[in-house]
Amino acid sequence: MLKGLERLVKDYGDWINNERKNSEHQIGEHLLLDCEQDKSRMAKNITELLSGSANAHNLHAFRLMNSAMFMQLWHAAKVRKNGVYEHLSRPDFNGFDKDFYKSVDDHLFERDVSAAWRPFQLALSY
């Protein structure tokens, strides 16, 4: 997984360089500088969050952020379909705790895509 993410950042850098060569507008350079900052942040976060030298607290924070995002996605998707009441009304429902979220289906979208973390989250600052 780590090699794939590093490749993603490298490919993103290649895309930025290619866009820079083909850009004719000054505004394009401004946006590409923003992309460069995102790329640098992604590379740093791969090292600080996911590599073998990662600080355990940073990795825990990354996982906690992903858990919070999943919980929000799950509730938003279920509320739209009146699916929360279905869980609340079950006699074996013990609350929205860690075990509950581990047991729910993560296919929340119309197309069959799981609610797993996405590479853009590497660009987030923590």
Side-chain angles (χ1 to χ4, degrees):
M1 178 175 112
L2 192 57
K3 292 288 182 204
L5 292 173
E6 290 168 344
R7 177 64 190 216
L8 171 78
V9 172
K10 182 200 173 302
D11 289 348
Y12 187 46
D14 292 346
W15 176 84
I16 293 167
N17 292 333
N18 189 47
E19 290 297 310
R20 184 168 279 124
K21 289 177 193 173
N22 296 323
S23 178
E24 297 177 11
H25 305 286
Q26 190 173 11
I27 186 109
E29 182 58 28
H30 172 72
L31 295 173
L32 292 172
L33 287 173
D34 289 345
C35 290
E36 283 283 354
Q37 290 177 339
D38 292 339
K39 178 187 150 288
S40 295
R41 194 168 44 250
M42 289 170 72
K44 175 183 165 231
N45 287 344
I46 288 171
T47 300
E48 293 186 7
L49 296 173
L50 303 175
S51 75
S53 63
N55 178 315
H57 295 292
N58 293 346
L59 184 57
H60 181 71
F62 183 72
R63 289 178 174 159
L64 183 62
M65 174 192 66
N66 288 321
S67 296
M69 289 179 73
F70 174 75
M71 291 163 58
Q72 185 278 327
L73 283 171
W74 187 90
H75 282 274
K78 294 299 180 180
V79 163
R80 279 192 296 273
K81 298 176 182 174
N82 273 343
V84 174
Y85 181 74
E86 164 192 331
H87 291 281
L88 292 172
S89 62
R90 288 179 30 201
D92 62 338
F93 178 73
N94 291 321
F96 296 111
D97 60 7
K98 182 178 174 180
D99 291 331
F100 174 81
Y101 291 108
K102 282 184 172 183
S103 69
V104 296
D105 185 13
D106 66 352
H107 289 84
L108 303 175
F109 309 111
E110 294 298 321
R111 55 194 196 286
D112 193 29
V113 178
S114 70
W117 74 276
R118 303 290 190 250
F120 81 86
Q121 291 171 261
L122 288 173
L124 300 175
S125 294
Y126 58 93

